[in-house]
Amino acid sequence: MANAVIDKDAFYRRMKRVYSAWKEAGKGSDGFGKMDALVVPVGVDEDTVYAKSTAIQVWLFGYELMDVVMLLCENTIHFLASKKKVEFLKQIQSGKENETEIPPVKLLVRDKADKDAANFTKLIDAIRKSKNGKTIGEFSKDNFGGEFAEAWRSAISKEAFASVDVSSAFAYIMASKDDSEIGIIQKACRVTVDVFTKYLRDNIWGIIDSDKKVRHSKLSEGVEQALTDKRYVTGVDMQQVEVCYPAIIQSGGNYNLKFSVVSDKNNLHFGAIVCSLGVRYKSYCSNIIRTLLVNPSLSVQENYNFLVNLEEEILKRLVHGTRLSDVYNAALVYAKQEKVGLIEKMTKNFGFCMGIEFRESSLVIGPKSTVVANKGMVFNINVGFHPLANDDAKDDERAKIYALFIGDTVLVNETQPATVLTNSRKKLKHIGIFVRDEDEEEEEEEEDGKDEPINGDGDLRIRRGGRRSAVMDTKLRTEQSAEEKRKLHQKELAEQINQEAKARLAQQESGQREEKIRKSNVSYKSPNLVPKESEIQELKIFVDRKYETIIVPIYGIPVAFHISTVKNISQSVEGDYTYLRINFYHPGSTLGRNEGNVFPHPDATFMKEITYRSTNTKEPGEISAPSSNLNTAFRLIKEVQKKFKSREAEEREREGIVKQDSLMVGTVKSNPKLKDLYIRPNIVTKRISGTLEAHINGFRFTSVRGDKVDILYNNIKHAFFQPCDGEMIILLHFTLKNAIMFGKKKHNDVQFYTEVGEITTDLGKHQHMHDRDDLAAEQAERELRHKLKTAFKSFTEKVETMTKQEVEFDTPFRDLGFHGVPYRTTVLLQPTSGCLVNLTDWPPFVITLEGVELVHFERVQFHLKNFDMVFVFKDYSRKVAMVNAIPMSMLDHVKEWLNSCDIRYTEGIQSLNWTKIMKTITDDPEGFFENGGWSFLDPESDGEDGEEEDSEQEDDAYQPSDEGASEDESSDYSGESEYTEDSDSENDLGSSEESGKDWSELEEEAAEADKETVDFTDEYTSGKKKRSGPPMRSSSNKKGDKGSAHKRRKEESPRGRHDDKKRQRDESPRGKHSAKRARK
């Protein structure tokens, strides 16, 4: 356990919760209030999967520890364990002095010489000294085996201690999950859903389609095998994935809606198929239950729809502060109103709380449960009906009795309905399978004249008795295009994001925003602090460096101004006088970013500027000229202002910096390490190399000159490993939750990289494809790439193993990448499992997809080569992120990727003012969503059409600005102009006006045109006033006189005349042939 790490913060926080609950219980009637000490012995028992003793160990330490006794007394916490386990537990002993509400931790090492007799005596003495020393709390159902556990039970049984069961009290303490626990449960739920949808459900559909005979037990065994297959389990440490219980598959009239049953050996029956599946990840449980229906009758469909609505009713009632019995009774009332005949067939309870243990028997949603649901609790909601009679089943005996059972893992919220974590569709159209025999289909086709592939609800219909490879791929008899599928999915996402945004904003309204405290710019808080310098008495300008204040005389009175009120100063010498001008900040003055103060009283009287004049002439007897005071004041004010601004800038950098824990340096030599890496951003101006080493709770980068940068594991938001395939560098990139300071600046992104080849190439060097030196260099570079890739990959794998997947490195999918301009240059943007990144160029571009509300495509028009992409975040106060100039050929590719990530996207032909849009939303979020929310971005929405009509004049005015854009932008639109020029040339060649002209007439016209062009050029170069000439044709403006003045200026420029001359030359007979050859 050398590399095992305990989350000390979580241990202290959770242990404090235990002691606080113990203290509040007092002398209560429950066991928790009566106990004087808690004893938790854990022995060896491989058959025990769920036990409260091991659950509390995982909850506190993150690990199960065999042969350990934990004793919680009033004033001390004792652990008796082996030497290695004591070394592991020393992590919670250090730094304990800062925790005042938790007793000190005392560690006892096992002594095998006397079989721990002396240690047992110490623990028993500690129990006697705790409170009354008479009653011990224990988990009565836990009974571990092993020599150590038996010895402890023998020792404690000799004492006259009374015992009480505190299992239910501890279950309630551990029921409310913190953010880290919820994150683990969400991953467990994701694995559960993936295995169910990608493996179990698809497998069952395939069995039905091919009419195979497969046993229930065989399907259950396949689920366990699927948990070890990377095709179905992604994004988690597969070594920590296990089943909560063997998957339960039931069909054919033999049903039992309990989790203790085992899948029987009967063949799968094509009727009501109940599937129960639970996955455990890092000891935290999840569960999903679905019923697949094959050819359900109308009564079965009606009962199933009612069951889905009943679960929705339970989720609505399950909120913070509600008794579990009230949730049950409310659902029961709903059932009596809707389907009173099904109440007798309903399950006895509607679910239970779950976490490290699959089922907390004291926290059940039943009629007698008085426990109150709290925010953060995770419940396994499961409700069903059994047995139900199917009157429509005549010939099939196994189909006459059926059951309906659905369930989900849900999270309790404060005011909103419980959130479903196992987000797999359960409506009838998603689980109903309608099978038709081929004979029935032929008869129906003869009667109706056409096939009926899908009903109004989109239910799945497949045939029976024949193979259908097309249906196996898409589960539909009619092939849907990718665009239609995307539109259908996007429509669902549109409704979903509006509902989620409303719920999110409702929660944000309850929280109060913290206002920043403005620093006071008062120089002296009392008159005693004003300096008594002679310069002040002599009415000279005095600069007080200590309080950063300038004291200037105004009407014979010294007046103090803090340096923060000074905008700038200037000094000038005119003749015999020196002038010093001081400008102050005031309402109405232009303030730069992060400059000046926000005026608390803008209606007060402010001084805008003041000028002092002093002579440069030195009178007899004077040591220096009077103007020397202005010179000195000018210099000192500049120094104080520079010092003040640099300090303010440093404080602004430090704003929002969260204090990090200290790095626990591992003394083991086998710590993962990478040498000769560079860090970005640089610690100093010049880049320097160093070593990156993984320690117990974080990374440390040590440069060759001794600089150290620490990155803790719990501060890493995203970790990326980008290999050197197709790149000149190989890198590790960390995006942090909270910024860290180094190099006098705060940074949210830190990167470690090394070069794998020459970034620059010497073009003067003689190049030859068969040069031996070049071949050797290429071979050496290939070997270096392979060596570095292996070293980095080994480092990431060791870190993931050492941190038990707390740090997981994500690798970008280069094949899914597309080019775009997030900042100033075109880069390759690559998706990862949860982000869109570009890490090669600096600054990096990292977008967390989980925080994206929607994506909007701008300038989506067929005649443009590029489009823009706007990311709108769920945090509306955050500025939108833009990626410009994405090739139009990648539009479908990007849409497909976003759709697969369940991200809503919209598109439009115009560029929008997102600053104003987001300000409108944040000013009145309720009104925004009442008016349809994000539907205004939909091209099909009425608001979009109206907006286009209203802004038609603006579009006309905007059109010339595209043509007069910078060279970079015009290059993007070069394809458009070339197309229009060619098309106009073809129109000119094929016009009815020129079709009847012979070669001589065409030669004369070309000569006249050349002459006019030469005259025009001479007139321009001579600098004379331009005379009016014949109208010049514009190839890119087909609207005639509607073209703008901007276009005419372009054509009058030298470059425009050159294009015109070329175009006129093409209209000559020889030019026309040249143009035709060019088009060919």
Side-chain angles (χ1 to χ4, degrees), residues 977-1005:
S977 59
E978 289 173 5
Y979 169 78
T980 49
E981 283 182 15
D982 289 347
S983 61
D984 280 357
S985 300
E986 289 175 3
N987 291 338
D988 292 340
L989 287 169
S991 63
S992 58
E993 190 178 21
E994 296 178 353
S995 59
K997 296 180 181 179
D998 57 8
W999 285 105
S1000 59
E1001 291 174 342
L1002 292 172
E1003 284 283 346
E1004 291 175 3
E1005 285 187 1

PDB file of all heavy atoms in Angstrom, residues 977-1005:
ATOM      1  N   SER A 977     -15.576  34.846 -55.676  1.00  0.00           N
ATOM      2  CA  SER A 977     -15.328  35.828 -56.727  1.00  0.00           C
ATOM      3  C   SER A 977     -14.901  35.152 -58.021  1.00  0.00           C
ATOM      4  O   SER A 977     -15.289  35.573 -59.106  1.00  0.00           O
ATOM      5  CB  SER A 977     -14.252  36.815 -56.264  1.00  0.00           C
ATOM      6  OG  SER A 977     -13.063  36.116 -55.971  1.00  0.00           O
ATOM      7  N   GLU A 978     -14.088  34.083 -57.924  1.00  0.00           N
ATOM      8  CA  GLU A 978     -13.682  33.387 -59.141  1.00  0.00           C
ATOM      9  C   GLU A 978     -14.888  32.803 -59.851  1.00  0.00           C
ATOM     10  O   GLU A 978     -14.999  32.858 -61.070  1.00  0.00           O
ATOM     11  CB  GLU A 978     -12.696  32.271 -58.783  1.00  0.00           C
ATOM     12  CG  GLU A 978     -11.332  32.802 -58.345  1.00  0.00           C
ATOM     13  CD  GLU A 978     -10.459  31.689 -57.833  1.00  0.00           C
ATOM     14  OE1 GLU A 978     -10.898  30.538 -57.916  1.00  0.00           O
ATOM     15  OE2 GLU A 978      -9.346  31.973 -57.373  1.00  0.00           O
ATOM     16  N   TYR A 979     -15.789  32.277 -59.074  1.00  0.00           N
ATOM     17  CA  TYR A 979     -16.973  31.661 -59.666  1.00  0.00           C
ATOM     18  C   TYR A 979     -17.801  32.704 -60.401  1.00  0.00           C
ATOM     19  O   TYR A 979     -18.232  32.499 -61.528  1.00  0.00           O
ATOM     20  CB  TYR A 979     -17.814  31.001 -58.570  1.00  0.00           C
ATOM     21  CG  TYR A 979     -19.174  30.583 -59.051  1.00  0.00           C
ATOM     22  CD1 TYR A 979     -19.344  29.432 -59.806  1.00  0.00           C
ATOM     23  CD2 TYR A 979     -20.291  31.363 -58.774  1.00  0.00           C
ATOM     24  CE1 TYR A 979     -20.587  29.066 -60.263  1.00  0.00           C
ATOM     25  CE2 TYR A 979     -21.540  30.995 -59.220  1.00  0.00           C
ATOM     26  CZ  TYR A 979     -21.687  29.857 -59.959  1.00  0.00           C
ATOM     27  OH  TYR A 979     -22.918  29.492 -60.398  1.00  0.00           O
ATOM     28  N   THR A 980     -17.996  33.857 -59.797  1.00  0.00           N
ATOM     29  CA  THR A 980     -18.843  34.873 -60.420  1.00  0.00           C
ATOM     30  C   THR A 980     -18.168  35.464 -61.648  1.00  0.00           C
ATOM     31  O   THR A 980     -18.825  35.802 -62.617  1.00  0.00           O
ATOM     32  CB  THR A 980     -19.166  35.979 -59.415  1.00  0.00           C
ATOM     33  OG1 THR A 980     -17.948  36.404 -58.796  1.00  0.00           O
ATOM     34  CG2 THR A 980     -20.098  35.462 -58.335  1.00  0.00           C
ATOM     35  N   GLU A 981     -16.817  35.600 -61.600  1.00  0.00           N
ATOM     36  CA  GLU A 981     -16.137  36.113 -62.775  1.00  0.00           C
ATOM     37  C   GLU A 981     -16.300  35.160 -63.957  1.00  0.00           C
ATOM     38  O   GLU A 981     -16.603  35.558 -65.067  1.00  0.00           O
ATOM     39  CB  GLU A 981     -14.656  36.312 -62.468  1.00  0.00           C
ATOM     40  CG  GLU A 981     -14.387  37.561 -61.636  1.00  0.00           C
ATOM     41  CD  GLU A 981     -12.903  37.756 -61.393  1.00  0.00           C
ATOM     42  OE1 GLU A 981     -12.114  37.099 -62.101  1.00  0.00           O
ATOM     43  OE2 GLU A 981     -12.545  38.564 -60.549  1.00  0.00           O
ATOM     44  N   ASP A 982     -16.102  33.894 -63.674  1.00  0.00           N
ATOM     45  CA  ASP A 982     -16.232  32.908 -64.757  1.00  0.00           C
ATOM     46  C   ASP A 982     -17.645  32.884 -65.303  1.00  0.00           C
ATOM     47  O   ASP A 982     -17.863  32.816 -66.509  1.00  0.00           O
ATOM     48  CB  ASP A 982     -15.853  31.517 -64.244  1.00  0.00           C
ATOM     49  CG  ASP A 982     -14.356  31.416 -63.988  1.00  0.00           C
ATOM     50  OD1 ASP A 982     -13.642  32.325 -64.451  1.00  0.00           O
ATOM     51  OD2 ASP A 982     -13.929  30.449 -63.329  1.00  0.00           O
ATOM     52  N   SER A 983     -18.602  32.938 -64.390  1.00  0.00           N
ATOM     53  CA  SER A 983     -19.980  32.861 -64.846  1.00  0.00           C
ATOM     54  C   SER A 983     -20.349  34.075 -65.680  1.00  0.00           C
ATOM     55  O   SER A 983     -21.054  33.968 -66.672  1.00  0.00           O
ATOM     56  CB  SER A 983     -20.924  32.746 -63.640  1.00  0.00           C
ATOM     57  OG  SER A 983     -20.783  33.885 -62.822  1.00  0.00           O
ATOM     58  N   ASP A 984     -19.825  35.254 -65.290  1.00  0.00           N
ATOM     59  CA  ASP A 984     -20.114  36.453 -66.086  1.00  0.00           C
ATOM     60  C   ASP A 984     -19.427  36.387 -67.434  1.00  0.00           C
ATOM     61  O   ASP A 984     -19.948  36.848 -68.449  1.00  0.00           O
ATOM     62  CB  ASP A 984     -19.668  37.702 -65.330  1.00  0.00           C
ATOM     63  CG  ASP A 984     -20.686  38.117 -64.268  1.00  0.00           C
ATOM     64  OD1 ASP A 984     -21.734  37.453 -64.181  1.00  0.00           O
ATOM     65  OD2 ASP A 984     -20.407  39.083 -63.563  1.00  0.00           O
ATOM     66  N   SER A 985     -18.200  35.831 -67.426  1.00  0.00           N
ATOM     67  CA  SER A 985     -17.506  35.705 -68.710  1.00  0.00           C
ATOM     68  C   SER A 985     -18.279  34.801 -69.650  1.00  0.00           C
ATOM     69  O   SER A 985     -18.406  35.085 -70.847  1.00  0.00           O
ATOM     70  CB  SER A 985     -16.097  35.146 -68.486  1.00  0.00           C
ATOM     71  OG  SER A 985     -15.361  35.998 -67.645  1.00  0.00           O
ATOM     72  N   GLU A 986     -18.803  33.730 -69.092  1.00  0.00           N
ATOM     73  CA  GLU A 986     -19.597  32.835 -69.932  1.00  0.00           C
ATOM     74  C   GLU A 986     -20.851  33.540 -70.428  1.00  0.00           C
ATOM     75  O   GLU A 986     -21.262  33.381 -71.578  1.00  0.00           O
ATOM     76  CB  GLU A 986     -19.970  31.595 -69.129  1.00  0.00           C
ATOM     77  CG  GLU A 986     -18.786  30.687 -68.857  1.00  0.00           C
ATOM     78  CD  GLU A 986     -19.180  29.552 -67.967  1.00  0.00           C
ATOM     79  OE1 GLU A 986     -20.381  29.479 -67.630  1.00  0.00           O
ATOM     80  OE2 GLU A 986     -18.306  28.754 -67.617  1.00  0.00           O
ATOM     81  N   ASN A 987     -21.450  34.360 -69.589  1.00  0.00           N
ATOM     82  CA  ASN A 987     -22.636  35.096 -70.026  1.00  0.00           C
ATOM     83  C   ASN A 987     -22.288  36.070 -71.140  1.00  0.00           C
ATOM     84  O   ASN A 987     -23.041  36.264 -72.084  1.00  0.00           O
ATOM     85  CB  ASN A 987     -23.260  35.856 -68.851  1.00  0.00           C
ATOM     86  CG  ASN A 987     -23.876  34.897 -67.856  1.00  0.00           C
ATOM     87  OD1 ASN A 987     -24.191  33.763 -68.205  1.00  0.00           O
ATOM     88  ND2 ASN A 987     -24.029  35.346 -66.614  1.00  0.00           N
ATOM     89  N   ASP A 988     -21.096  36.721 -70.994  1.00  0.00           N
ATOM     90  CA  ASP A 988     -20.688  37.658 -72.049  1.00  0.00           C
ATOM     91  C   ASP A 988     -20.442  36.920 -73.361  1.00  0.00           C
ATOM     92  O   ASP A 988     -20.794  37.386 -74.434  1.00  0.00           O
ATOM     93  CB  ASP A 988     -19.415  38.402 -71.617  1.00  0.00           C
ATOM     94  CG  ASP A 988     -19.698  39.337 -70.446  1.00  0.00           C
ATOM     95  OD1 ASP A 988     -20.876  39.674 -70.246  1.00  0.00           O
ATOM     96  OD2 ASP A 988     -18.732  39.703 -69.724  1.00  0.00           O
ATOM     97  N   LEU A 989     -19.772  35.750 -73.268  1.00  0.00           N
ATOM     98  CA  LEU A 989     -19.461  35.011 -74.490  1.00  0.00           C
ATOM     99  C   LEU A 989     -20.723  34.507 -75.165  1.00  0.00           C
ATOM    100  O   LEU A 989     -20.811  34.424 -76.378  1.00  0.00           O
ATOM    101  CB  LEU A 989     -18.546  33.836 -74.166  1.00  0.00           C
ATOM    102  CG  LEU A 989     -17.087  34.200 -73.826  1.00  0.00           C
ATOM    103  CD1 LEU A 989     -16.375  32.985 -73.264  1.00  0.00           C
ATOM    104  CD2 LEU A 989     -16.362  34.758 -75.025  1.00  0.00           C
ATOM    105  N   GLY A 990     -21.708  34.175 -74.368  1.00  0.00           N
ATOM    106  CA  GLY A 990     -22.910  33.561 -74.926  1.00  0.00           C
ATOM    107  C   GLY A 990     -24.057  34.524 -75.094  1.00  0.00           C
ATOM    108  O   GLY A 990     -25.173  34.103 -75.329  1.00  0.00           O
ATOM    109  N   SER A 991     -23.848  35.845 -74.974  1.00  0.00           N
ATOM    110  CA  SER A 991     -24.947  36.806 -75.069  1.00  0.00           C
ATOM    111  C   SER A 991     -25.417  36.943 -76.509  1.00  0.00           C
ATOM    112  O   SER A 991     -24.668  36.772 -77.455  1.00  0.00           O
ATOM    113  CB  SER A 991     -24.495  38.171 -74.527  1.00  0.00           C
ATOM    114  OG  SER A 991     -23.454  38.667 -75.320  1.00  0.00           O
ATOM    115  N   SER A 992     -26.693  37.311 -76.640  1.00  0.00           N
ATOM    116  CA  SER A 992     -27.279  37.449 -77.968  1.00  0.00           C
ATOM    117  C   SER A 992     -26.703  38.645 -78.705  1.00  0.00           C
ATOM    118  O   SER A 992     -26.738  38.717 -79.921  1.00  0.00           O
ATOM    119  CB  SER A 992     -28.802  37.597 -77.838  1.00  0.00           C
ATOM    120  OG  SER A 992     -29.101  38.724 -77.031  1.00  0.00           O
ATOM    121  N   GLU A 993     -26.130  39.596 -77.932  1.00  0.00           N
ATOM    122  CA  GLU A 993     -25.626  40.819 -78.558  1.00  0.00           C
ATOM    123  C   GLU A 993     -24.359  40.551 -79.351  1.00  0.00           C
ATOM    124  O   GLU A 993     -24.093  41.180 -80.359  1.00  0.00           O
ATOM    125  CB  GLU A 993     -25.345  41.834 -77.441  1.00  0.00           C
ATOM    126  CG  GLU A 993     -25.046  43.228 -77.948  1.00  0.00           C
ATOM    127  CD  GLU A 993     -24.833  44.190 -76.801  1.00  0.00           C
ATOM    128  OE1 GLU A 993     -24.537  43.725 -75.689  1.00  0.00           O
ATOM    129  OE2 GLU A 993     -24.943  45.386 -76.998  1.00  0.00           O
ATOM    130  N   GLU A 994     -23.534  39.581 -78.897  1.00  0.00           N
ATOM    131  CA  GLU A 994     -22.260  39.338 -79.550  1.00  0.00           C
ATOM    132  C   GLU A 994     -22.275  38.110 -80.442  1.00  0.00           C
ATOM    133  O   GLU A 994     -21.317  37.826 -81.117  1.00  0.00           O
ATOM    134  CB  GLU A 994     -21.172  39.172 -78.482  1.00  0.00           C
ATOM    135  CG  GLU A 994     -20.959  40.438 -77.664  1.00  0.00           C
ATOM    136  CD  GLU A 994     -19.909  40.232 -76.588  1.00  0.00           C
ATOM    137  OE1 GLU A 994     -19.476  39.076 -76.414  1.00  0.00           O
ATOM    138  OE2 GLU A 994     -19.533  41.199 -75.918  1.00  0.00           O
ATOM    139  N   SER A 995     -23.353  37.342 -80.406  1.00  0.00           N
ATOM    140  CA  SER A 995     -23.354  36.074 -81.124  1.00  0.00           C
ATOM    141  C   SER A 995     -23.256  36.278 -82.631  1.00  0.00           C
ATOM    142  O   SER A 995     -22.746  35.422 -83.328  1.00  0.00           O
ATOM    143  CB  SER A 995     -24.628  35.291 -80.774  1.00  0.00           C
ATOM    144  OG  SER A 995     -25.770  36.065 -81.124  1.00  0.00           O
ATOM    145  N   GLY A 996     -23.700  37.449 -83.176  1.00  0.00           N
ATOM    146  CA  GLY A 996     -23.678  37.628 -84.617  1.00  0.00           C
ATOM    147  C   GLY A 996     -22.476  38.399 -85.132  1.00  0.00           C
ATOM    148  O   GLY A 996     -22.407  38.714 -86.312  1.00  0.00           O
ATOM    149  N   LYS A 997     -21.504  38.770 -84.270  1.00  0.00           N
ATOM    150  CA  LYS A 997     -20.359  39.579 -84.693  1.00  0.00           C
ATOM    151  C   LYS A 997     -19.281  38.694 -85.280  1.00  0.00           C
ATOM    152  O   LYS A 997     -19.063  37.576 -84.829  1.00  0.00           O
ATOM    153  CB  LYS A 997     -19.815  40.359 -83.501  1.00  0.00           C
ATOM    154  CG  LYS A 997     -20.819  41.375 -82.940  1.00  0.00           C
ATOM    155  CD  LYS A 997     -20.232  42.117 -81.746  1.00  0.00           C
ATOM    156  CE  LYS A 997     -21.238  43.108 -81.174  1.00  0.00           C
ATOM    157  NZ  LYS A 997     -20.711  43.830 -80.009  1.00  0.00           N
ATOM    158  N   ASP A 998     -18.573  39.283 -86.300  1.00  0.00           N
ATOM    159  CA  ASP A 998     -17.479  38.516 -86.899  1.00  0.00           C
ATOM    160  C   ASP A 998     -16.162  38.889 -86.220  1.00  0.00           C
ATOM    161  O   ASP A 998     -16.119  39.733 -85.329  1.00  0.00           O
ATOM    162  CB  ASP A 998     -17.414  38.763 -88.411  1.00  0.00           C
ATOM    163  CG  ASP A 998     -17.256  40.247 -88.731  1.00  0.00           C
ATOM    164  OD1 ASP A 998     -17.044  41.074 -87.790  1.00  0.00           O
ATOM    165  OD2 ASP A 998     -17.325  40.598 -89.892  1.00  0.00           O
ATOM    166  N   TRP A 999     -15.046  38.315 -86.705  1.00  0.00           N
ATOM    167  CA  TRP A 999     -13.759  38.509 -86.043  1.00  0.00           C
ATOM    168  C   TRP A 999     -13.282  39.941 -86.127  1.00  0.00           C
ATOM    169  O   TRP A 999     -12.692  40.471 -85.179  1.00  0.00           O
ATOM    170  CB  TRP A 999     -12.717  37.570 -86.667  1.00  0.00           C
ATOM    171  CG  TRP A 999     -12.873  36.135 -86.255  1.00  0.00           C
ATOM    172  CD1 TRP A 999     -13.371  35.134 -87.017  1.00  0.00           C
ATOM    173  CD2 TRP A 999     -12.547  35.585 -84.986  1.00  0.00           C
ATOM    174  NE1 TRP A 999     -13.402  33.958 -86.316  1.00  0.00           N
ATOM    175  CE2 TRP A 999     -12.875  34.214 -85.016  1.00  0.00           C
ATOM    176  CE3 TRP A 999     -12.020  36.083 -83.812  1.00  0.00           C
ATOM    177  CZ2 TRP A 999     -12.687  33.351 -83.976  1.00  0.00           C
ATOM    178  CZ3 TRP A 999     -11.823  35.226 -82.758  1.00  0.00           C
ATOM    179  CH2 TRP A 999     -12.152  33.891 -82.828  1.00  0.00           C
ATOM    180  N   SER A1000     -13.504  40.621 -87.249  1.00  0.00           N
ATOM    181  CA  SER A1000     -13.004  41.998 -87.419  1.00  0.00           C
ATOM    182  C   SER A1000     -13.686  42.948 -86.449  1.00  0.00           C
ATOM    183  O   SER A1000     -13.053  43.838 -85.853  1.00  0.00           O
ATOM    184  CB  SER A1000     -13.227  42.462 -88.873  1.00  0.00           C
ATOM    185  OG  SER A1000     -14.623  42.398 -89.191  1.00  0.00           O
ATOM    186  N   GLU A1001     -15.024  42.755 -86.266  1.00  0.00           N
ATOM    187  CA  GLU A1001     -15.739  43.619 -85.312  1.00  0.00           C
ATOM    188  C   GLU A1001     -15.242  43.399 -83.890  1.00  0.00           C
ATOM    189  O   GLU A1001     -15.088  44.343 -83.108  1.00  0.00           O
ATOM    190  CB  GLU A1001     -17.239  43.338 -85.392  1.00  0.00           C
ATOM    191  CG  GLU A1001     -17.867  43.807 -86.691  1.00  0.00           C
ATOM    192  CD  GLU A1001     -19.327  43.389 -86.790  1.00  0.00           C
ATOM    193  OE1 GLU A1001     -19.723  42.476 -86.038  1.00  0.00           O
ATOM    194  OE2 GLU A1001     -20.044  43.971 -87.596  1.00  0.00           O
ATOM    195  N   LEU A1002     -14.982  42.150 -83.582  1.00  0.00           N
ATOM    196  CA  LEU A1002     -14.489  41.858 -82.242  1.00  0.00           C
ATOM    197  C   LEU A1002     -13.103  42.447 -82.007  1.00  0.00           C
ATOM    198  O   LEU A1002     -12.788  42.935 -80.920  1.00  0.00           O
ATOM    199  CB  LEU A1002     -14.448  40.345 -82.031  1.00  0.00           C
ATOM    200  CG  LEU A1002     -15.820  39.654 -81.978  1.00  0.00           C
ATOM    201  CD1 LEU A1002     -15.637  38.141 -81.961  1.00  0.00           C
ATOM    202  CD2 LEU A1002     -16.590  40.092 -80.748  1.00  0.00           C
ATOM    203  N   GLU A1003     -12.255  42.453 -83.067  1.00  0.00           N
ATOM    204  CA  GLU A1003     -10.913  43.031 -82.946  1.00  0.00           C
ATOM    205  C   GLU A1003     -11.002  44.531 -82.689  1.00  0.00           C
ATOM    206  O   GLU A1003     -10.266  45.087 -81.863  1.00  0.00           O
ATOM    207  CB  GLU A1003     -10.108  42.755 -84.228  1.00  0.00           C
ATOM    208  CG  GLU A1003      -9.594  41.321 -84.368  1.00  0.00           C
ATOM    209  CD  GLU A1003      -8.389  41.077 -83.487  1.00  0.00           C
ATOM    210  OE1 GLU A1003      -7.807  42.064 -82.996  1.00  0.00           O
ATOM    211  OE2 GLU A1003      -8.058  39.908 -83.254  1.00  0.00           O
ATOM    212  N   GLU A1004     -11.911  45.215 -83.413  1.00  0.00           N
ATOM    213  CA  GLU A1004     -12.071  46.665 -83.217  1.00  0.00           C
ATOM    214  C   GLU A1004     -12.546  46.982 -81.798  1.00  0.00           C
ATOM    215  O   GLU A1004     -12.057  47.922 -81.156  1.00  0.00           O
ATOM    216  CB  GLU A1004     -13.074  47.202 -84.256  1.00  0.00           C
ATOM    217  CG  GLU A1004     -12.557  47.170 -85.693  1.00  0.00           C
ATOM    218  CD  GLU A1004     -13.633  47.601 -86.690  1.00  0.00           C
ATOM    219  OE1 GLU A1004     -14.732  47.964 -86.215  1.00  0.00           O
ATOM    220  OE2 GLU A1004     -13.363  47.575 -87.895  1.00  0.00           O
ATOM    221  N   GLU A1005     -13.521  46.221 -81.303  1.00  0.00           N
ATOM    222  CA  GLU A1005     -14.022  46.461 -79.934  1.00  0.00           C
ATOM    223  C   GLU A1005     -12.919  46.257 -78.906  1.00  0.00           C
ATOM    224  O   GLU A1005     -12.788  47.024 -77.947  1.00  0.00           O
ATOM    225  CB  GLU A1005     -15.196  45.525 -79.632  1.00  0.00           C
ATOM    226  CG  GLU A1005     -16.477  45.927 -80.319  1.00  0.00           C
ATOM    227  CD  GLU A1005     -17.646  45.061 -79.855  1.00  0.00           C
ATOM    228  OE1 GLU A1005     -17.412  44.185 -78.988  1.00  0.00           O
ATOM    229  OE2 GLU A1005     -18.748  45.263 -80.359  1.00  0.00           O
TER     230      GLU A1005
END
